[in-house]
Amino acid sequence: MLISKKSCLFFLLLFKLIINLLAEKVEQLMEWSSRRSVIRMNGDKFRRFVKAPPRNYSVIVMFTALQPQRQCSVCRQANEEYQVLANSWRYSSAFSNKLFFTIVDYDEGADVFQQLNMNSAPTFMHFPPKGKPKRADTFDLQRIGFAAEQLAKWIADRTDVHIRVFRPPNYSGTIALALLVSLVGGLLYLRRNNLEFIYNKTGWAMAALCVVFAMTSGQMWNHIRGPPYAHKNPQNGQVSYIHGSSQAQFVAESHIILLLNAAITMGMVLLNEAATSKGDVGKRRSKLFSVICRISEFYFLKAF
């Protein structure tokens, strides 16, 4: 009976210690969140507040490399979206101590990257209140992109916390559109007595080609998904412009496809000009074969 009482007393003290430790951790995280929506962490803070129990809250961690010497432009773009999402959560009416947003920079927590066997940035991970992160707790940035709305949807799937994204007003698009309309209106007004250029087939053809190039190169997919321009490995500095998976792409791939489509179109235009230009038939035929040879040589060099 005496041993049983001692055991109960021991477990009560242990339980109280755990409760106090948990309350201290939550209080500290709430204090940091009140100062800044995204909490910066080094290796020690990460191990204490994210990895070590007890923990009754979820933590979203962005692993990144924001220092200028790392030259990670994608990290800066992803960080902007992450800040928008964290601010939307911090200043929403549903804000609570059940979810915290943190960031670990490579230059401040290289040991954390090594501990998690992480060799790329940026990476988003969810650390649940209990247990270790599963495969689905790592955000598929390469396939989905890093837009704040996509991150919010992923967080809702992992934590049941729904965040409504509020973006600060951006009038740059409206201003640019107003300037464009004013420029076109001013041009039409100055040329009001001579509007024959509106019926210029070449001008409309070039405009149509620009739209076709933008659509067929994947620019709309980039606009919707928000993928990075390229990927730079923080370990060896190697830059990849073409994605390794058929389910995703980089912005650089769209530019490459756009240039190739433009080259094909230019080749067809040159062929048409060579075949329909006035002059000696023999010279036209020679010019046509010359253009074909140049185009063939261009694609041969591109292929090999």
Side-chain angles (χ1 to χ4, degrees):
M1 189 67 179
L2 182 61
I3 297 177
S4 177
K5 288 183 178 179
K6 289 183 177 179
S7 299
C8 291
L9 181 60
F10 172 77
F11 283 113
L12 285 174
L13 291 175
L14 181 62
F15 180 74
K16 185 178 180 180
L17 179 63
I18 293 174
I19 293 297
N20 292 337
L21 179 59
L22 179 60
E24 181 183 349
K25 293 171 66 174
V26 172
E27 182 181 359
Q28 182 65 74
L29 289 171
M30 289 295 290
E31 181 183 350
W32 286 335
S33 295
S34 63
R35 300 175 185 174
R36 184 177 297 178
S37 301
V38 178
I39 304 171
R40 298 189 68 90
M41 289 194 168
N42 53 24
D44 294 335
K45 290 182 179 179
F46 176 82
R47 284 183 285 272
R48 179 184 176 189
F49 292 95
V50 179
K51 292 284 290 182
R55 197 173 64 248
N56 65 348
Y57 50 84
S58 294
V59 183
I60 306 298
V61 184
M62 176 183 178
F63 298 93
T64 186
L66 294 174
Q67 296 301 320
Q69 64 268 22
R70 299 298 174 185
Q71 298 181 354
C72 182
S73 59
V74 181
C75 295
R76 292 191 292 271
Q77 298 172 12
N79 182 59
E80 292 176 359
E81 292 294 311
Y82 192 57
Q83 295 288 341
V84 169
L85 179 61
N87 288 330
S88 300
W89 168 243
R90 173 64 183 82
Y91 297 105
S92 69
S93 58
F95 175 73
S96 67
N97 58 7
K98 298 301 181 182
L99 177 65
F100 296 98
F101 288 86
T102 65
I103 186 171
V104 176
D105 193 279
Y106 181 79
D107 291 281
E108 299 175 0
D111 53 336
V112 178
F113 279 73
Q114 295 174 1
Q115 180 182 352
L116 299 176
N117 294 323
M118 194 172 298
N119 57 9
S120 63
T123 300
F124 298 94
M125 288 187 64
H126 164 244
F127 290 83
K130 297 180 180 179
K132 297 181 179 180
K134 301 178 181 178
R135 182 175 182 180
D137 287 311
T138 299
F139 183 68
D140 192 353
L141 183 145
Q142 303 295 343
R143 185 177 63 88
I144 304 177
F146 48 74
E149 291 77 9
Q150 297 296 336
L151 286 169
K153 183 178 179 181
W154 168 67
I155 291 174
D157 293 337
R158 305 310 304 164
T159 66
D160 291 330
V161 175
H162 298 272
I163 304 175
R164 183 179 178 183
V165 178
F166 292 95
R167 293 183 178 275
N170 186 358
Y171 301 104
S172 59
T174 304
I175 294 174
L177 180 61
L179 290 175
L180 178 62
V181 172
S182 301
L183 181 62
V184 174
L187 179 62
L188 293 176
Y189 178 77
L190 293 175
R191 299 288 300 273
R192 61 185 180 278
N193 296 326
N194 184 14
L195 298 178
E196 294 182 0
F197 68 94
I198 296 180
Y199 303 100
N200 190 316
K201 295 181 180 180
T202 303
W204 285 109
M206 294 298 295
L209 284 175
C210 291
V211 174
V212 171
F213 292 157
M215 295 299 177
T216 58
S217 64
Q219 286 297 104
M220 290 304 298
W221 191 92
N222 295 338
H223 179 72
I224 296 172
R225 297 289 188 174
Y229 185 84
H231 173 71
K232 183 175 182 180
N233 192 318
Q235 299 294 331
N236 54 27
Q238 183 178 0
V239 180
S240 300
Y241 297 100
I242 298 178
H243 199 279
S245 171
S246 61
Q247 303 297 321
Q249 69 177 25
F250 296 134
V251 177
E253 292 183 60
S254 302
H255 295 168
I256 295 172
I257 297 300
L258 190 149
L259 292 175
L260 289 177
N261 288 340
I264 294 172
T265 304
M266 182 59 67
M268 296 302 295
V269 171
L270 293 175
L271 286 173
N272 182 68
E273 289 292 331
T276 58
S277 61
K278 297 180 180 180
D280 182 69
V281 177
K283 291 183 178 180
R284 280 191 293 161
R285 186 176 299 171
S286 176
K287 185 178 180 181
L288 179 62
F289 286 143
S290 176
V291 172
I292 293 175
C293 290
R294 290 181 181 179
I295 294 175
S296 301
E297 181 182 1
F298 170 80
Y299 282 104
F300 180 82
L301 292 176
K302 283 292 183 180
F304 298 96

